[in-house]
Amino acid sequence: MPISTVKESEVDVLVIGAGPAGLMACNALANAGVDVRIVDKRPSKVMAGQADGIQPRTIEVLQSYGLAQRLLREANQMHVAAFYNPNPETGGIELTDRTADISENDTRYPFEATLHQGAIESIFLDSMRELGVEVSRPTVPVSIQISDDEKHLTNSYPVRVVLRHGDALEGQTDTEIVHAKFVIGADGAHSWVRKAFDIEMEGEQTDYVWGVVDMIPDTDFPDIRNRCAIHSNNGSCMIIPREGDKVRLYIQLGSKDGVDLASGRIAKQLIGPSQLLDVARRSMFPYVINEPKSIDWWTIYQIGQRVASRFSVKDRVFIAGDACHTHSPKAGQGMNASMNDTHNLAWKLAHVIRGWADLSLLRTYELERRTYAQNLINFDKQFARLFSGKPRTYNNRDGVSHEDFIKAFKTFGGFTSGVGICYAESQIINATHQSYAKNLIVGKRLPPQILVRAADFRPFELQDLLPSDARFKVLLFAGDTSQPSQRMRLAMLAAEMGAVNGFLKTYTPGGNIFAAFDIIAISSAKRTVVRHTDVPELFGSHWSKVFIDVEDMKKTQGGDTYANFGINPMGVVVVVRPDGYVGMVAPFDKVRDINQYFAAFTRPSP
Amino acid sequence: MPISTVKESEVDVLVIGAGPAGLMACNALANAGVDVRIVDKRPSKVMAGQADGIQPRTIEVLQSYGLAQRLLREANQMHVAAFYNPNPETGGIELTDRTADISENDTRYPFEATLHQGAIESIFLDSMRELGVEVSRPTVPVSIQISDDEKHLTNSYPVRVVLRHGDALEGQTDTEIVHAKFVIGADGAHSWVRKAFDIEMEGEQTDYVWGVVDMIPDTDFPDIRNRCAIHSNNGSCMIIPREGDKVRLYIQLGSKDGVDLASGRIAKQLIGPSQLLDVARRSMFPYVINEPKSIDWWTIYQIGQRVASRFSVKDRVFIAGDACHTHSPKAGQGMNASMNDTHNLAWKLAHVIRGWADLSLLRTYELERRTYAQNLINFDKQFARLFSGKPRTYNNRDGVSHEDFIKAFKTFGGFTSGVGICYAESQIINATHQSYAKNLIVGKRLPPQILVRAADFRPFELQDLLPSDARFKVLLFAGDTSQPSQRMRLAMLAAEMGAVNGFLKTYTPGGNIFAAFDIIAISSAKRTVVRHTDVPELFGSHWSKVFIDVEDMKKTQGGDTYANFGINPMGVVVVVRPDGYVGMVAPFDKVRDINQYFAAFTRPSP
C-alpha cells in the first residue's frame, strides 16, 4: 500500500514541465536571482528524437545567457538549402538550386543549428545546476487554484498547486502543496495546466500526414548534409542533417497512410520505419539509400495548427510553448517558439517579483507572444501547403513550381530565422521617435553590430554587451565626443538623465543605477583623436563602457554603426529591453519621454 | 634528522622545470600519448609578475592544442600601439601616433594577449591534469648522466637523473633515481641542467637598467589601456595593459640606478616601487599618475642578451626556454620563444619514441630553435637600443626619431608577431617545388585561411583542421573536381600515394594511414556543382574531409585560397609538419620526392 506524506512550501515561480520552454524559463529566472522551482512528469529527460532545429535568433538568445558556445560545439550547422525537383525527361529528381539556408542578411549566426532536444535540455540543466536548481521528477500536478483575494498583491502567493512526487507504480509518492506567486505551464501539447483552466485550442487538424526517421544514412545523395526540399512525382521529402553523421528525413505520406480509418487518428502500429524509408526511396530516385545499420527514432504525425485562446490566467498563471501553439515541425519553429515564449516572460516576472514593475507588465506576454503564435500558424499553413503540394509538371500545371517555393522560402526568411519578429506598440514598445534611429526598429531585436572599444580598440559584438541579465540597457549614441560643443550637450544630457527625478534614479532600487540599468556610450569620434575620458562619467562609468564607431585595426570588421542603424549624428538614446528588443528611441531633448516610458509600468523605488 | 628513502623508476621523457617551456613540452607530450613526467623546484606555481605577453603565433599554437579559448577569455588584448613623444614647445609628452600593435596582416589573431604567467601556467596544468599528469614539486635534480653505451638505442633509457623530492627544511625528503629516454631542461635562466653539462651562455650584459611595476593605475592618461612607447626628455617608459584593470609599466632607469657600484650588479634593495613610479611620472608629464592603492609586483633588471652554445647533449638531453636564451622583455618575446621551443621539440620526441623516426630528427630542434634565438637576440639589440635611446630633439639631433622607431617597429613586425619565423632547409624542410605554391612558404607556419566544407558549406579555419596531434597533415589541393579530366588525374594520384611503397603506407604503423597522417582535400570546384563524392576515398575518407575554395554563403569570409597561397590550378600536395609548419610542396607527378622527404628521417614500419 502506498505511503503518503504531505508538506507545504512557498516559491516565487513554479514551472510545470521541463522541456525547452520550461527550462528556458527556469534558467532565466534562476539567473535573475528569482526563487524558482521546476517539475516534470517524465522520470528522465528526452534521449532521442523530438524537435531539433535552432534558428539564428534563438542562438542569439542562448548566447545572451552564455549558452551558445556549447550549443555551437555540439550542434550541426545548416548553411545551405538545396532544392531537388523532377527532371522532365527521366522523372527522377535532380539538383535545381542551392541557396543560403538563412536568406536574411541581418543575422549574427547565418545558419540553423540542429541538435537533438535532449542535448539542448542538457545545456539548460547544467546551467541551472550551477545556479542551484534541479528538476523534480517524476512529479505531476494534481490540482491548481488561484485565490481571488490575494491576486492583486504582488508579494502574495495566490496560486495553490498540489504536486505528487514519485512514481505511483513504484508504491512511493509524496504529496506537496506549493503556494506560488506565479506558475508557468510549459507542459506540452497536452498541457495539464491549460486543461485545468479550460483554455481552448483554436484552429484545425490538417490532412497532411508525415513520417520522420532519424538515422545514419548510407547513400550516394550528394546533398545529404544539407537541408533539402525534395519535390518528386512520388511525394515530397525533407532532409535535415543532424549532429555527428545523423540525418532526419521528413517523409510525406498519403493522407490515409498510418491513419486508423475508424477513428481518423494516426495509429503508429499501422506503419513502421522500413515502410517510411521505402516511401523516401521512391521520392529520392535515382539516388539510393542503403539499409541503415539502425534507426535512432521514428514517428508519424498529422499537422495540427492551433493556438490557445489565451496565454494567461488572472496575471498569475501562464502557459508557454507547445501548451499554447502547435504547428508543423518542418519550418523548424517549434522549439524556437517555445524558448522565445519564456525568454519574453522571464524578465517581466523578475521585475514584478522584485517589486520594480506592476502586474500589468505581465499582460504584454500574451499580447506579444500570442500575436506571434498566430502569425506562425498563418505562415505554417502557407508553407505546409506549398511543401506538401505536388510539383508542377507538364501533366500537373496546377502543381507547385520551384519558383513559387523559393519565393515563399525567401519571403518567410525573417520569420524562419526569427530575426524578423517585431512586437507591436504597447507600454513597453514606444516608436514615437523612431525617426532618430531609422533602422533600429522599435519592437525588433537589436541587430548585431561590431563596435570598437575606445580605450583599447578591441572589437566587440554589440549583442554581447547586452546579456540577458534582467537589466534594461541604455545605449547612448553620443555623437562626436571629440567636439567641445557635443561634449557640452552630453554634459547637459547627463545632468538631466542623472537627476533625482530622471528615470535612472526614480526606478533604481537602493540608489544603485546599475542594479536595474546598464549604460553604454557609443561615440562617433575618429580613432586618432578619441579619448574615453571625454564621455561624462554617467555614460562611461568604467573605461570598458565607451565604444567607437570605427573598423577594427585590421579593417576586417566593424564601422558604419551610425549609418547602419540610421542614427542621427547629433546623438540618440536607445532603450533596449532586458530580452534584447528595442523598446524606445529618443533624441537628447526628449528625456521626459523616456521618463514617461518607464513610468507606465515601473514602480518608483521607495 | 631527515628521513630518506630511494626508489628507481623509468620514464620516456623527464621534464625539469614547470614554467611555460616545460609545461608546453609536458602537455604536448602527454597529448601525444608519451609517458612523461615533470618536476619543479618551486613548492607552488607563480602567482604574479614575470612574463605576460602572448604573441599572435603563440595564440595560434595554443589554439592548435585546444587551449586558446580559455586564454582569450582570461587575457587582455592589445590592438593598438600608441607612441608619445615630447612636444617641442612644452617639453611634455603628446600623442604622436596610434598604429596597429601587430603590423603583420597575415595573422589570425591581430593583437597580443597579456595575462600573468601564473594564469597561463594554470591553463597548461588543467589540460595536463585531464591527461593524468601533475607537476611533482618541490623537486630538485641532484645529478644527471648519459650512458654512452645505450644512447644510440631508441628504446633504451640512457639518461640517469637523481631527484630529491620534498622540502629539506621541512625534514622530509625522498630520493628517486629516474632512468629516462630523454630529458628536457626547461629550468630557467639559471638552468641547473645547462650548468650540469657545462653549456656556455654566449653574449653580453647591457648597461640598460629597467624597472617594472604592476598595478591598477589611477590616471588621466588616455592611452593607459594601449601598449605605449613613451619617449620623453626625462627618460623612456613602456605601458603594457594587463587582464582586468591592471597595467604594467616598464621604466627606464639611469645606468647606475639600482646597481651596486662595488659588484656592478643589480641590487633590488637600492630602489623601491615608489622611486620607480616617480621616474615614470617624470617621463609621462603632463599626465598624472595618482598613488595606486597597491603595487601587485615590481622588480628591476639589466638586459642580458645571451644564447646557449648548444641546445642539446648527445641527442638525449635538451635545454629550452630561458635556459638557452635571455633577452629584454620589452618586445614581449620571452615566454613566446620558450613555449615555441618545446612546441618544436615535442612532436619530434614523440615520433622517435614511437619508433617512427630516427634520433637524427631531434637535431633539427637545435638547428631551428638556436638560429631563431640568435635572430631574436639580434632583433632585441636593435630594438632595445632604439627604445632606450634619448628622443631626437632640437638639442639632441643624434637622438632616436619617431620615424626611426616606427620604421623598426614595422620592420620587426613578422618577428614580434611570431608569424614571420621561417625555418631553414633541412631534412624536414624541403623547398624544391616551392613554385607550385608560391605563397605557401616552405619553412613558415601554414597561414590562416577560411575554407568551406563541400558537403555542408560550413566555413572552417584551415588552421583548426591541423591540430597539434603529432600527425603530419597532407593538404591535397585537388584542383577542379567537377572536371572529369581532373578526377582522372586524382584517381592516378590516389593510386600512387596509396600504393604499398608510397610514403603513406611505408611509414604507417599497423597499416592505419590515419594514425600517422591526416589527409584533407581542397577542391576548386564551384559551389553550384561541387560534390564531395567526386574526391577519391583516400583524400575524402569521410564527408567532413573535403573542402572547397569559395566564400561562405553570406560572402563575409573565405574564398581565394588558391590565389592567396599561389596554388597551381592543376593541383598540389602540401605536407604540413605536426607543429603547423609547411614541410614540403609537390606537384602530382612528384610523389617520389615526397616519398624521399619522409625516407630521410622516418623508419619504415615493420
Side-chain angles (χ1 to χ4, degrees), chain A residues 481 536 563 593:
Chain A
T481 52
D593 290 356

Side-chain angles (χ1 to χ4, degrees), chain B residues 471-537:
Chain B
R471 293 191 294 176
F472 277 85
K473 312 297 187 302
V474 177
L475 304 188
L476 198 283
F477 288 88
D480 186 351
T481 53
S482 68
Q483 299 299 323
S485 60
Q486 186 67 9
R487 289 206 294 272
M488 210 136 81
R489 299 186 70 228
L490 282 169
M492 287 169 59
L493 178 68
E496 189 176 359
M497 274 174 65
V500 176
N501 61 353
F503 69 95
L504 291 174
K505 289 209 170 137
T506 307
Y507 307 108
T508 289
N512 174 15
I513 289 173
F514 297 101
F517 296 96
D518 198 12
I519 306 175
I520 289 159
I522 302 160
S523 165
S524 61
K526 290 204 167 57
R527 181 204 318 279
T528 44
V529 294
V530 71
R531 295 189 296 198
H532 64 93
T533 46
D534 282 341
V535 168
E537 201 177 333

Side-chain angles (χ1 to χ4, degrees), chain A residues 69 72-73 75-80 95 98-105 107 110 219-226 244-245 287 453-459 526-533 542-543 552-554, chain B residues 69 72-73 75-80 95 98-105 107 110 219-226 244-245 287 453-459 526-533 542-543 552-554:
Chain A
Q69 205 171 50
L72 295 176
R73 198 164 60 231
N76 177 66
Q77 296 180 8
M78 296 195 300
H79 288 263
V80 153
L95 176 63
R98 284 172 178 158
T99 71
D101 181 55
I102 298 300
S103 55
E104 289 283 298
N105 281 316
T107 51
T219 179
D220 60 350
F221 184 65
D223 281 277
I224 194 72
R225 298 301 310 170
N226 293 318
D245 287 343
Y287 295 101
R453 196 158 60 183
D456 63 358
F457 300 91
R458 176 172 170 175
K526 290 203 167 55
R527 182 204 319 281
T528 45
V529 295
V530 71
R531 294 191 297 199
H532 65 92
T533 45
H542 185 262
W543 60 263
D552 72 353
M553 295 304 291
K554 292 294 164 189
Chain B
Q69 206 172 50
L72 295 176
R73 199 166 54 233
N76 177 65
Q77 296 181 8
M78 296 195 300
H79 289 263
V80 154
L95 176 64
R98 284 173 179 159
T99 71
D101 181 55
I102 298 300
S103 55
E104 289 283 297
N105 281 316
T107 51
T219 178
D220 60 350
F221 184 65
D223 281 278
I224 195 72
R225 297 304 308 172
N226 293 318
D245 286 344
Y287 296 100
R453 197 157 61 182
D456 63 358
F457 300 90
R458 176 172 169 176
K526 290 204 167 57
R527 181 204 318 279
T528 44
V529 294
V530 71
R531 295 189 296 198
H532 64 93
T533 46
H542 184 262
W543 60 262
D552 71 353
M553 295 305 291
K554 292 295 165 188

Side-chain angles (χ1 to χ4, degrees), chain A residues 107-135:
Chain A
T107 51
R108 180 172 178 192
Y109 304 100
F111 53 83
E112 284 178 89
T114 53
L115 184 62
H116 75 273
Q117 187 173 326
I120 291 159
E121 291 178 6
S122 288
I123 295 172
F124 283 112
L125 292 170
D126 289 346
S127 170
M128 282 159 47
R129 194 165 295 128
E130 280 182 33
L131 296 163
V133 182
E134 303 258 4
V135 180

Side-chain angles (χ1 to χ4, degrees), chain B residues 127-348:
Chain B
S127 170
M128 283 159 47
R129 194 165 295 127
E130 281 181 32
L131 296 162
V133 182
E134 303 258 2
V135 180
S136 305
R137 62 168 96 224
T139 293
V140 291
V142 175
S143 74
I144 183 166
Q145 282 146 1
I146 307 174
S147 155
D148 279 330
D149 298 342
E150 301 174 85
K151 75 184 169 61
H152 297 295
L153 303 167
T154 306
N155 278 314
S156 64
Y157 294 84
V159 195
R160 180 183 186 275
V161 182
V162 179
L163 297 176
R164 196 177 61 222
H165 301 293
D167 193 333
L169 293 177
E170 294 188 359
Q172 168 79 49
T173 63
D174 295 315
T175 299
E176 179 182 4
I177 299 167
V178 179
H179 301 277
K181 289 179 180 167
F182 300 98
V183 168
I184 300 175
D187 48 349
H190 303 288
S191 172
W192 176 89
V193 176
R194 184 185 73 219
K195 289 173 188 164
F197 289 101
D198 286 327
I199 300 172
E200 294 284 313
M201 289 299 276
E202 299 170 347
E204 68 228 31
Q205 195 81 351
T206 69
D207 283 344
Y208 305 126
V209 179
W210 286 75
V212 186
V213 177
D214 283 358
M215 61 175 185
I216 294 177
D218 175 12
T219 178
D220 60 350
F221 184 65
D223 281 278
I224 195 72
R225 297 304 308 172
N226 293 318
R227 179 177 174 189
C228 292
I230 298 169
H231 284 93
S232 85
N233 296 331
N234 302 302
S236 298
C237 180
M238 187 159 92
I239 293 174
I240 301 285
R242 301 273 299 267
E243 69 274 14
D245 286 344
K246 284 182 203 166
V247 163
R248 170 168 290 185
L249 298 181
Y250 285 97
I251 302 147
Q252 185 180 26
L253 302 176
S255 59
K256 302 285 181 285
D257 290 332
V259 176
D260 176 32
L261 293 179
S263 70
R265 296 176 71 101
I266 292 282
K268 218 176 158 181
Q269 68 276 17
L270 296 178
I271 202 162
S274 50
Q275 287 94 320
L276 293 176
L277 267 185
D278 284 341
V279 178
R281 284 186 180 109
R282 284 198 296 275
S283 63
M284 289 177 70
F285 178 83
Y287 296 100
V288 175
I289 303 178
N290 294 316
E291 202 55 36
K293 287 201 185 105
S294 67
I295 301 286
D296 268 24
W297 183 77
W298 71 278
T299 193
I300 54 176
Y301 65 91
Q302 229 167 347
I303 299 174
Q305 291 160 328
R306 291 188 277 214
V307 181
S309 57
R310 52 197 173 115
F311 281 23
S312 63
V313 185
K314 298 179 180 172
D315 299 332
R316 289 294 177 174
V317 173
F318 304 86
I319 55 175
D322 290 352
C324 46
H325 40 74
T326 64
H327 31 84
S328 81
K330 281 184 306 307
Q333 294 300 303
M335 185 158 47
N336 297 283
S338 297
M339 289 194 273
N340 281 296
D341 280 350
T342 47
H343 173 59
N344 181 290
L345 177 59
W347 70 268
K348 297 171 183 174

